[in-house]
Amino acid sequence: MDKQHVFMPFISADNEYGFSLWEWKNEKWRLSEKTVNSSINIVKLDESDPSTYYFVWNFPEDEQIKKINIYLIRNRSYRGSDEDFYYESRLQMGASFNREKSYGVVPLSGGMLKVYKEMSGISKENGDMFSNVFSTNNELYFSWNMIDQKGEVAWIEQRNSSYGGDAKVMSESIFFEDQKDIEFLEWEEDAGKWQNTNKK
């Protein structure tokens, strides 16, 4: 991931797919984390700097899997008092990656990085505002899913176990998103409004 941090995928003697994270510390490679799971994890090399975030994974290969999608989402919210009302529209950004190997390392970058930095409020001074992606509906969160050759969401057997080492960099799983909750909007002239065209 950089000169001081390494992602290492593995297949165990029990045929379990996982990865370990290593950090160069005190002139020695030290284990940060060893994980076996069936999710995509986000690694934050510097919690206060989203440009150092990476999405990582390693789970069994499947020739039916066509691509992996990663999303940045903020759900709609509406709140108010007797006189003041406030509406936040839905935010949804996505990036797709062809699945050519069992493992992958993808940096948070491009437009998704720019929007996340501007809307999350993360800075060196105030720390990580993304510490709990499930706390309120109007917070930003990352999610993912896999699409098979038929264009359907592919499900895999859930596994999850991990333990930490003596280095500080850790990862966390991100939410699996059902494709029916992903919105694809088109303007419907007759209705005079945006319609979600995702029928799945």
Side-chain angles (χ1 to χ4, degrees), residues 4 17 51 70 74 103 106 126 136 177-178:
Q4 291 182 287
Y17 285 67
S51 67
I70 295 177
R74 183 191 65 190
Y103 61 90
V106 176
N126 63 20
T136 62
E177 194 83 40
D178 196 322

Side-chain angles (χ1 to χ4, degrees), residues 121-176:
I122 291 179
S123 70
K124 296 283 186 180
E125 289 74 27
N126 63 20
D128 186 5
M129 300 295 289
F130 176 53
S131 58
N132 185 355
V133 298
F134 301 108
S135 59
T136 62
N137 285 336
N138 65 328
E139 286 189 358
L140 293 168
Y141 68 91
F142 294 106
S143 61
W144 72 286
N145 60 30
M146 294 189 301
I147 305 299
D148 63 19
Q149 300 287 350
K150 298 179 181 179
E152 304 285 345
V153 171
W155 301 87
I156 56 177
E157 181 182 353
Q158 296 298 306
R159 299 184 181 91
N160 191 8
S161 64
S162 65
Y163 67 86
D166 61 355
K168 66 178 182 179
V169 176
M170 303 293 285
S171 71
E172 59 186 70
S173 298
I174 63 175
F175 181 67
F176 190 91

Side-chain angles (χ1 to χ4, degrees), residues 85-141:
F85 297 91
Y86 184 72
Y87 170 75
E88 282 188 340
S89 60
R90 179 180 174 89
L91 167 71
Q92 177 182 296
M93 300 181 71
S96 295
F97 308 94
N98 292 329
R99 192 170 185 220
E100 299 174 350
K101 301 177 181 179
S102 67
Y103 61 90
V105 179
V106 176
L108 175 60
S109 60
M112 193 179 291
L113 169 62
K114 182 178 180 181
V115 170
Y116 182 73
K117 289 175 70 173
E118 291 180 355
M119 299 189 67
S120 65
I122 291 179
S123 70
K124 296 283 186 180
E125 289 74 27
N126 63 20
D128 186 5
M129 300 295 289
F130 176 53
S131 58
N132 185 355
V133 298
F134 301 108
S135 59
T136 62
N137 285 336
N138 65 328
E139 286 189 358
L140 293 168
Y141 68 91

Side-chain angles (χ1 to χ4, degrees), residues 152 179-184 186 188 195-200:
E152 304 285 345
Q179 193 71 0
K180 67 180 177 60
D181 297 322
I182 299 300
E183 296 187 9
F184 300 94
E186 291 183 2
E188 295 289 341
Q195 301 277 29
N196 184 3
T197 59
N198 184 14
K199 305 301 183 183
K200 300 183 182 207

